[in-house]
Amino acid sequence: MNGLWIRGPTRMVGQMTVSGSKNAALPIMAASLLTDQPVRLSRVPELTDTATLERLLRTLGMAVERRGNQVHLETLDCRPVRADRRLVRRMRASFCVLGPLLARRRRAVVPLPGGCRIGDRPIDLHLRGLAALGAEIAIQRGHVVARAKRLRGARIDLTGPRGPTVTGTANLLSAAVLARGTTVLTGAAREPEIVDLGRFLESLGAIIDGLGTDTITVRGVAGLGGGDYTILPDRIETATLLLAAAVTRGAVLLTGAAPEQLTAVLDCLCRAGAAVETTATSIRLAMSGPPVATSVVAQPYPGFPTDVQAQWTALMCLSEGVATIRDDVFPQRFSHVAELRRLGGQLMRRGAAVRVTGVEAFCGGTVAACDLRASAALVLAGLAGHGETRIRRAYHLDRGYECYQEKLTALGAKIARIAPAAEAVIR
Ligand code: UD1
């Protein structure tokens, strides 16, 4: 069932609980390799990405057991150091096992994660940082081969050409907790998912200062214990559900959310004309009428998230006026533009930006999803569109949105999965 069928327009109305964060869960699960004690994680979303990492961790000698949104992890065998190529190829974030493997097992062989639909995604900062911690690193036959005695603390700058690296910060933070001495990460990512990883490591006994700032200091410890930890809410799922309500002129109440982590998106929604109310853990949004054209620039946290850029573009397609959406993090991340055009959007790509001239409505049509967030943008267009929208290759959505079909249906969507044969005929 790789395709998706949506009949619009429908107003998204109702209450929904946000799932745990994919981008926090993945590095936290990988960091469980750092301890021999059992770890119990709660609110781990059930996604193909988390399932892929569960499989990878099993191949690396861990017992991994899932009960609903709880995942129990325990290292049984400390010897495996080679990450399976097929699993790493499936998901870039599996590269997050590199730092923990090296720190705990002193050796790691991890396939290069390779290119990606959303643009060039190098790993030079990960490797340079691990080398600064004392690792010997070589690239052999498409693999990163790293070895070290005990890592030693160092001062490492993680500022890349487009700001900090998120998974690079995760890899180095995880590696540094078991290093001898103190590590100072400058130009570190400030994303809430990195803060969550740091809090998890602290709960196991790591000593970390400066989480949420661009300078993180880690005092290495000899070993970590086990424990229970609850993953933070998914701010990208939250934003996507809010945008689903905004684009369909609906009204939703999202609970179990973390509005303070979405300030940039909530500000833009208000500027676009949405009525937004928040408590510490909930967000209520109502939208009537077309959105006001609101330009955004995707930047590292606390800026507007690149992972919401495509969905924002879908909303702006129905705005009154002209908006520009620029992506400073991934300047090539515009695979959704051509597909939104097929659904009636008026968009013009110019380098790292797209200029969107609002139209009255999306029409239905057949489109192909190219990556996770581009797929979400197409779903939003389908929900608001007049007629039937069919999305091919919608399996990307299962990588990042837990039970999205059930959740959208509960909010009023007419949405169904369709078989590959049906999608093939439709196009
Ligand atoms: C993570 C998120 C992804 C999000 C992205 C940016 C996870 C699993 N994925 O991806 O959803 O879109 O952050 O918020 O958390 N760069 C370098 N050298 C490096 C590493 C990165 O130059 O060694 C550049 C990249 O090309 C990019 C920028 O840094 O322009 C940010 O990339 P990065 O933060 O590393 O993205 P990911 O961690 O892969």
Side-chain angles (χ1 to χ4, degrees), residues 23 26 92-93 120-126 161-162 164-167 191 306-307 329-330 333:
N23 286 354
L26 295 172
R92 269 189 74 84
D120 191 23
R121 296 176 83 178
I123 46 152
D124 54 315
L125 297 166
H126 301 235
R162 300 200 188 86
T165 159
V166 178
T167 47
E191 267 66 5
T306 172
D307 287 349
V329 180
F330 293 115
R333 191 176 200 172

Side-chain angles (χ1 to χ4, degrees), residues 100-129:
L101 278 180
L102 186 62
R104 178 66 189 86
R105 304 187 185 181
R106 310 271 160 101
R107 216 174 152 242
V109 182
V110 182
L112 287 166
C116 175
R117 286 278 184 176
I118 69 176
D120 191 23
R121 296 176 83 178
I123 46 152
D124 54 315
L125 297 166
H126 301 235
L127 302 188
R128 216 187 303 150

